[in-house]
Amino acid sequence: MDRMEQRRQIARNFASRVKALRQARGWNQVELAGKAGVHRNFINRIEKGTQIPSILIAHDMATALGVELGELLTPDLFTTRAEPTE
């Protein structure tokens, strides 16, 4: 896998993680956006894979979702906790 494909895979992993965690919490995109301090359209674009957030916004999203930032980047959906950390 070349570098560009690795980057695309990371973006896809991030998008699917954000969506899965948001849905596991029963939140819609507006709720996650409000908790992370971004616009709903931004969340929508992230989940579609057309927007890549800065590291600071990704951190805010992870915090809102109650997970460590690294959990939004892991490739295996089954390693992500559905429950937020305390």
Short mmCIF file of all heavy atoms in Angstrom, two decimals, residues 11-12 14-15 41-54 57 61:
data_model
loop_
_atom_site.label_atom_id
_atom_site.label_comp_id
_atom_site.label_asym_id
_atom_site.label_seq_id
_atom_site.Cartn_x
_atom_site.Cartn_y
_atom_site.Cartn_z
N ALA A 11 -8.32 7.99 6.74
CA ALA A 11 -9.51 8.84 6.67
C ALA A 11 -10.78 8.00 6.71
O ALA A 11 -11.75 8.36 7.39
CB ALA A 11 -9.47 9.70 5.41
N ARG A 12 -10.79 6.87 6.01
CA ARG A 12 -11.97 5.98 6.03
C ARG A 12 -12.18 5.40 7.43
O ARG A 12 -13.31 5.32 7.91
CB ARG A 12 -11.82 4.86 5.01
CG ARG A 12 -12.04 5.32 3.58
CD ARG A 12 -12.14 4.15 2.61
NE ARG A 12 -10.92 3.37 2.52
CZ ARG A 12 -9.95 3.58 1.64
NH1 ARG A 12 -10.06 4.57 0.75
NH2 ARG A 12 -8.88 2.83 1.62
N PHE A 14 -11.23 6.72 10.27
CA PHE A 14 -11.69 7.80 11.13
C PHE A 14 -13.19 8.05 10.91
O PHE A 14 -13.96 8.14 11.86
CB PHE A 14 -10.89 9.07 10.84
CG PHE A 14 -11.19 10.20 11.78
CD1 PHE A 14 -10.52 10.31 12.99
CD2 PHE A 14 -12.15 11.14 11.46
CE1 PHE A 14 -10.80 11.35 13.86
CE2 PHE A 14 -12.44 12.18 12.33
CZ PHE A 14 -11.76 12.28 13.53
N ALA A 15 -13.60 8.14 9.65
CA ALA A 15 -15.00 8.40 9.32
C ALA A 15 -15.91 7.30 9.87
O ALA A 15 -16.95 7.60 10.49
CB ALA A 15 -15.17 8.50 7.80
N ASN A 41 -22.68 20.25 9.41
CA ASN A 41 -22.21 19.93 8.07
C ASN A 41 -20.78 19.40 8.08
O ASN A 41 -20.41 18.57 7.25
CB ASN A 41 -22.30 21.15 7.15
CG ASN A 41 -23.73 21.53 6.84
OD1 ASN A 41 -24.65 20.72 6.97
ND2 ASN A 41 -23.94 22.77 6.45
N PHE A 42 -19.98 19.87 9.02
CA PHE A 42 -18.61 19.40 9.15
C PHE A 42 -18.60 17.92 9.55
O PHE A 42 -17.86 17.12 8.98
CB PHE A 42 -17.87 20.26 10.18
CG PHE A 42 -16.39 20.03 10.23
CD1 PHE A 42 -15.57 20.48 9.21
CD2 PHE A 42 -15.82 19.38 11.30
CE1 PHE A 42 -14.20 20.28 9.25
CE2 PHE A 42 -14.45 19.17 11.36
CZ PHE A 42 -13.65 19.63 10.33
N ILE A 43 -19.45 17.57 10.51
CA ILE A 43 -19.57 16.16 10.93
C ILE A 43 -20.03 15.32 9.74
O ILE A 43 -19.50 14.23 9.50
CB ILE A 43 -20.54 16.00 12.12
CG1 ILE A 43 -20.04 16.77 13.35
CG2 ILE A 43 -20.78 14.52 12.44
CD1 ILE A 43 -18.75 16.27 13.94
N ASN A 44 -21.00 15.81 9.00
CA ASN A 44 -21.51 15.08 7.84
C ASN A 44 -20.39 14.82 6.83
O ASN A 44 -20.25 13.70 6.32
CB ASN A 44 -22.65 15.87 7.20
CG ASN A 44 -23.25 15.14 6.02
OD1 ASN A 44 -22.82 15.34 4.89
ND2 ASN A 44 -24.22 14.29 6.29
N ARG A 45 -19.59 15.83 6.55
CA ARG A 45 -18.49 15.67 5.59
C ARG A 45 -17.43 14.71 6.11
O ARG A 45 -16.86 13.94 5.33
CB ARG A 45 -17.89 17.03 5.24
CG ARG A 45 -18.82 17.89 4.39
CD ARG A 45 -18.12 19.12 3.82
NE ARG A 45 -17.46 19.93 4.82
CZ ARG A 45 -18.00 20.96 5.46
NH1 ARG A 45 -19.25 21.30 5.22
NH2 ARG A 45 -17.29 21.65 6.33
N ILE A 46 -17.16 14.75 7.40
CA ILE A 46 -16.20 13.80 7.99
C ILE A 46 -16.71 12.38 7.82
O ILE A 46 -15.98 11.49 7.39
CB ILE A 46 -15.94 14.12 9.47
CG1 ILE A 46 -15.10 15.40 9.58
CG2 ILE A 46 -15.24 12.96 10.17
CD1 ILE A 46 -14.99 15.94 10.99
N GLU A 47 -17.96 12.15 8.16
CA GLU A 47 -18.53 10.80 8.07
C GLU A 47 -18.61 10.31 6.63
O GLU A 47 -18.57 9.10 6.39
CB GLU A 47 -19.89 10.75 8.75
CG GLU A 47 -19.77 10.86 10.27
CD GLU A 47 -21.11 10.70 10.99
OE1 GLU A 47 -22.14 10.47 10.33
OE2 GLU A 47 -21.10 10.80 12.23
N LYS A 48 -18.72 11.21 5.68
CA LYS A 48 -18.71 10.83 4.26
C LYS A 48 -17.29 10.61 3.75
O LYS A 48 -17.10 10.07 2.67
CB LYS A 48 -19.34 11.94 3.41
CG LYS A 48 -20.83 12.02 3.50
CD LYS A 48 -21.29 13.11 2.55
CE LYS A 48 -22.77 13.25 2.51
NZ LYS A 48 -23.17 14.36 1.62
N GLY A 49 -16.32 11.08 4.51
CA GLY A 49 -14.93 10.94 4.09
C GLY A 49 -14.46 12.03 3.15
O GLY A 49 -13.40 11.91 2.54
N THR A 50 -15.22 13.12 3.06
CA THR A 50 -14.82 14.21 2.18
C THR A 50 -14.12 15.34 2.93
O THR A 50 -13.64 16.28 2.31
CB THR A 50 -16.04 14.79 1.43
OG1 THR A 50 -16.98 15.29 2.39
CG2 THR A 50 -16.69 13.74 0.56
N GLN A 51 -14.07 15.25 4.25
CA GLN A 51 -13.42 16.26 5.07
C GLN A 51 -12.51 15.55 6.07
O GLN A 51 -12.90 14.55 6.65
CB GLN A 51 -14.46 17.07 5.85
CG GLN A 51 -13.90 18.13 6.76
CD GLN A 51 -13.47 19.36 6.00
OE1 GLN A 51 -14.20 19.81 5.13
NE2 GLN A 51 -12.31 19.89 6.31
N ILE A 52 -11.31 16.08 6.23
CA ILE A 52 -10.38 15.54 7.24
C ILE A 52 -10.15 16.64 8.25
O ILE A 52 -9.69 17.72 7.90
CB ILE A 52 -9.06 15.10 6.59
CG1 ILE A 52 -9.34 13.99 5.58
CG2 ILE A 52 -8.07 14.64 7.66
CD1 ILE A 52 -8.15 13.59 4.76
N PRO A 53 -10.47 16.38 9.52
CA PRO A 53 -10.33 17.42 10.53
C PRO A 53 -8.87 17.64 10.93
O PRO A 53 -8.03 16.76 10.76
CB PRO A 53 -11.12 16.88 11.72
CG PRO A 53 -10.98 15.40 11.58
CD PRO A 53 -10.98 15.14 10.09
N SER A 54 -8.61 18.82 11.48
CA SER A 54 -7.29 19.06 12.06
C SER A 54 -7.14 18.16 13.28
O SER A 54 -8.13 17.61 13.80
CB SER A 54 -7.17 20.53 12.49
OG SER A 54 -7.98 20.77 13.64
N ILE A 57 -9.32 19.46 16.19
CA ILE A 57 -10.75 19.14 16.08
C ILE A 57 -10.98 17.65 16.28
O ILE A 57 -11.94 17.24 16.93
CB ILE A 57 -11.33 19.64 14.75
CG1 ILE A 57 -11.34 21.17 14.75
CG2 ILE A 57 -12.74 19.10 14.52
CD1 ILE A 57 -11.77 21.79 13.45
N MET A 61 -13.42 15.98 19.01
CA MET A 61 -14.43 14.97 18.68
C MET A 61 -14.25 13.73 19.54
O MET A 61 -15.23 13.17 20.04
CB MET A 61 -14.36 14.63 17.20
CG MET A 61 -14.80 15.78 16.32
SD MET A 61 -14.54 15.46 14.57
CE MET A 61 -15.73 14.15 14.32
#
